[in-house]
Each structure stands twice: as C-alpha cells, then as structure tokens.
Amino acid sequence: MRYWFLCALLCCSTMTLAGNKVVLVSLDGVRWQEVFGGSDPQLIVSPAYVKQPQLIHTYSPGHAEQLMPFLHQTVAKHGVLAGDRNKNSSVSVTNPAQVSYPGYQELLAGFADPKLLSNADIPNPNPTVLEWLATEQARQVAVFGSWQLLPQILNTARSGLLVNAGFMPLQQLHTERVQYLNELQQKTPASFATVRPDIFTQEFALEYLRQKQPDVLYIALGEADDFAHQQQYDRYLQAIHHHDAFLAELWRTLQNLPAYRNQTTLLISTDHGRGLAEQWHRHGQTAALPGYPAPEGVPGSEQIWYAALGPGVPAAGLVQGEFQQGQLAATLAASLGLDYRAAQPKAAAALEFNSQFQLASDTAPAADHQGP
Ligand SMILES: [Zn+2]
C-alpha cells in the first residue's frame, strides 16, 4: 500500500480533473476491510463461512494485493484510494439506513434523502447526477447493473436513461454478441431472485462500451453482497476477486479505445459497508432518525471506500482524511469539467484532486464513526 508522500504532492502542483469520459463502477456491499486488508484471518478459517476453501486458498489474510491486484497495483500506483480506517482514511455513508437503495441514491444524487430508508420498489423522487448529465448536459449515458431495482433508483420513467439491469435482455444494441448474451442469460440458472450473475452485466457493458462509446458509463455489480448475506465468505471473496479482474479488463479496454485512452476517469465505490467480525455478513441501520430512539443495527455498515484513476487524478495512493459517499456524484461531474452542485446544491462537494488533496472547505466532516 502506498502512502501519501509529501514529495508526490509537491510534484503534482494543482490538478484539475481533465477527462471527457467517465466510468463509475460500484461493487455492492464490498467491505473496506477486505479491500484494504485482504481476506480476514478469522473468517477465512471458519467452517461456518467457508465450505470450499480451495476456492480461496490464494487470498492470504493481510494480502489485499492477492485479492484485488488491479486495485493495489494499478490504482494505488497511478491513482487514489480512500477508506482504510486503519490508516486514518475513512469514507462514510450519511444515510441512516445503510442498505442498498439509499446508498445508491446517496452515491448518485450526492446527498442522503431522509425519506428513502429501505429497498422498497419505488421510483426515486430525486434526479441523480447521471440524469442531470443526460438531460441537462447532453451527455450520452448508459447504465448496466445486476440488481433489478436500478431502473427505479435512476427513475427511468422520468430520466429516460438507458438502464439495463436485473434479468433484462439488452435491446438497445444489436450485435451477434449481444444476441448470444441475451440467449445465454435466459438459459443460465439464477442464484438470486433479484440479482443476475455479474458476468452478464459486465459483458453487456463492455460490448456497449466498444460499440456505442458513451460519455458516461455506470456499471453496478452485485454478487458479493448476496454471497455475504448467504454467509458464504468463500464465494464473497471470490466475487471480489472477479470484480477486480473485471476492473482490470475494463481499464484495458478503455485504454485500447482511442475515444477513451488517457481521457477517461474511472471511479470505484460501493453502496454500503457491512458489520464487523462475526457480523460481517449483515448490514443496516445504526444511526438514529430524528425523533426515534437509536435502532439496533449493524455497526460498520456506514463504512465504505472509494478509488479513482484517470488523467486528472494524482498518483497519491491512499489518501488520509474523512470523506463521504455523496461526494462521488459531484466528483463524477467534475471529471467532465462540470459543476453538479450548481444545479444540485444539496450534493456534497466534489473531491478536489489538487495539491493539498483536501475536502472543499464547505464540506462538513463525516459524522459519527463506528470504528473497527
Ligand atoms: Zn445487502
């Protein structure tokens, strides 16, 4: 893990995000503990959580680079990571629910909505930065996700965004490969009722990227969270490793396409954290709502992380400080040179990838940490 070297910062001078394409990838419910610490030494030897140890024997505890080589080689070397609470770097969700829908809403709209506290299948009343980019800034936006609630979170009925999610076939692109993927998806047994195998999300997204070259691409992977809920630590780790391999393939693909090479920012994050130690498989509400007593929840669920790589992102490695989930929305817009907060004042400030790598001065520090 690289640290934040003063000399690196001095050499950086002032940086502004300077791409014209951006790709956001979210890895549902992937904990910072595994992202920065690799496999957990207690969990990986637990017969309750690991039924197939041969699946994960290459992910040694404490060796995050074995679990996520792309993140710890390429991103840590050429970009920015945040959220390792053992090294004074924290990223928090501010929504009290700490489940997926409110998390994606906060990530994509830039603020927590106190009325959205569950995974209820309802259209999001809030426009997201993706909707703003498509409708107000005339950017081509495409979204591929594994969870079937994504069209509601992005309110496709209102936003008109192209969102291919859940078990939907891809109907907006006609290639032989898409036709084959559509058939294969239909024939593949589902492991989870509302989440398709991530491989289809990934392959649809890569094919769309190559063929249509959108300005903004959001890819929401989902399997790790579901394996965690099923208390399968082996499958959870394996899913994380596959997520990382996909990120590497995605980055390679971007650098091989002239429209994207050296002008694309890659942002990576998650919707929520998970519990600590034996509570690793759960997540949910730990903060009190105004007027209600503090609920019983799963401490740790507010703890997330993120990563950034691209032309305007300094090669700072792990950055110290306190950050918030909602900052990614304005950061995504800023990576295209656009000010999302001018349109949505409720959104948290963009990460400032400048020589100080500090939060903008008007951003409140993250509230209430449940430290590990
Ligand atoms: Zn979950």
Side-chain angles (χ1 to χ4, degrees):
M1 175 62 63
R2 283 165 60 93
Y3 289 91
W4 185 36
F5 288 115
L6 188 59
C7 66
L9 294 173
L10 293 173
C11 298
C12 283
S13 73
T14 302
M15 295 247 181
T16 49
L17 290 178
N20 57 26
K21 307 269 188 191
V22 61
V23 179
L24 168 66
V25 181
S26 58
L27 314 179
D28 195 306
V30 169
R31 297 196 308 171
W32 68 268
Q33 288 92 335
E34 277 78 25
V35 169
F36 295 103
S39 65
D40 180 282
Q42 262 86 52
L43 300 177
I44 201 170
V45 295
S46 161
Y49 302 137
V50 175
K51 306 286 187 215
Q52 301 179 85
Q54 71 277 16
L55 288 181
I56 53 171
H57 70 275
T58 54
Y59 317 141
S60 310
H63 287 273
E65 77 285 358
Q66 294 174 357
L67 187 63
M68 303 189 82
F70 175 74
L71 209 69
H72 291 284
Q73 286 158 15
T74 304
V75 181
K77 206 175 193 176
H78 303 288
V80 158
L81 297 172
D84 186 350
R85 286 173 186 246
N86 293 328
K87 292 175 180 166
N88 298 317
S89 179
S90 70
V91 187
S92 302
V93 307
T94 68
N95 77 77
Q98 299 158 12
V99 295
S100 287
Y101 188 131
Y104 290 116
Q105 141 65 28
E106 184 172 346
L107 184 74
L108 298 169
F111 58 91
D113 183 340
K115 294 188 294 299
L116 294 172
L117 296 170
S118 76
N119 288 334
D121 188 358
I122 53 167
N124 189 350
N126 307 303
T128 64
V129 68
L130 301 179
E131 180 173 342
W132 178 74
L133 288 168
T135 59
E136 306 292 325
Q137 301 296 326
R139 304 298 161 122
Q140 301 296 324
V141 179
V143 178
F144 295 84
S146 298
W147 191 31
Q148 70 179 24
L149 238 61
L150 215 56
Q152 291 283 64
I153 297 167
L154 292 163
N155 200 334
T156 50
R158 182 193 61 222
S159 67
L161 288 171
L162 188 165
V163 181
N164 174 273
F167 297 89
M168 291 161 60
L170 178 57
Q171 289 170 321
Q172 294 88 343
L173 177 63
H174 305 282
T175 65
E176 271 183 37
R177 187 168 179 80
V178 166
Q179 195 182 348
Y180 177 65
L181 288 168
N182 282 339
E183 286 168 17
L184 204 58
Q185 178 172 240
Q186 209 175 17
K187 291 176 185 169
T188 303
S191 300
F192 312 109
T194 64
V195 178
R196 72 177 163 197
D198 283 326
I199 189 68
F200 293 107
T201 301
Q202 297 168 189
E203 293 298 318
F204 281 134
L206 287 173
E207 178 69 356
Y208 192 88
L209 175 70
R210 284 186 291 255
Q211 302 292 338
K212 294 285 188 176
Q213 312 207 339
D215 303 310
V216 181
L217 177 64
Y218 172 38
I219 303 166
L221 303 182
E223 277 173 351
D225 183 70
D226 293 273
F227 287 126
H229 283 295
Q230 294 188 342
Q231 305 189 28
Q232 300 184 67
Y233 195 66
D234 41 10
R235 304 295 304 277
Y236 167 72
L237 289 181
Q238 197 186 37
I240 294 172
H241 188 67
H242 281 144
H243 290 346
D244 183 83
F246 170 68
L247 291 168
E249 183 181 9
L250 175 64
W251 188 245
R252 262 196 322 273
T253 304
L254 292 168
Q255 297 311 314
N256 282 326
L257 291 167
Y260 292 93
R261 185 184 306 136
N262 297 334
Q263 46 198 321
T264 302
T265 305
L266 175 62
L267 301 171
I268 310 160
S269 192
T270 184
D271 54 335
H272 55 72
R274 321 195 70 83
L276 313 171
E278 289 291 315
Q279 292 292 303
W280 71 276
H281 51 91
R282 303 174 61 220
H283 63 91
Q285 199 165 353
T286 53
L289 301 176
Y292 292 88
E296 278 191 43
V298 185
S301 304
E302 78 289 2
Q303 303 175 2
I304 61 162
W305 54 278
Y306 38 57
L309 180 63
V313 181
L318 184 74
V319 293
Q320 296 183 331
E322 295 186 345
F323 308 97
Q324 293 178 2
Q325 182 175 44
Q327 292 184 268
L328 264 241
T331 303
L332 190 150
S335 73
L336 300 170
L338 299 169
D339 182 5
Y340 175 55
R341 290 179 100 201
Q344 178 50 271
K346 280 192 281 184
L351 296 167
E352 297 219 345
F353 295 122
N354 59 24
S355 58
Q356 296 298 309
F357 202 92
Q358 299 279 331
L359 292 181
S361 56
D362 57 348
T363 299
D368 182 41
H369 294 293
Q370 309 266 0

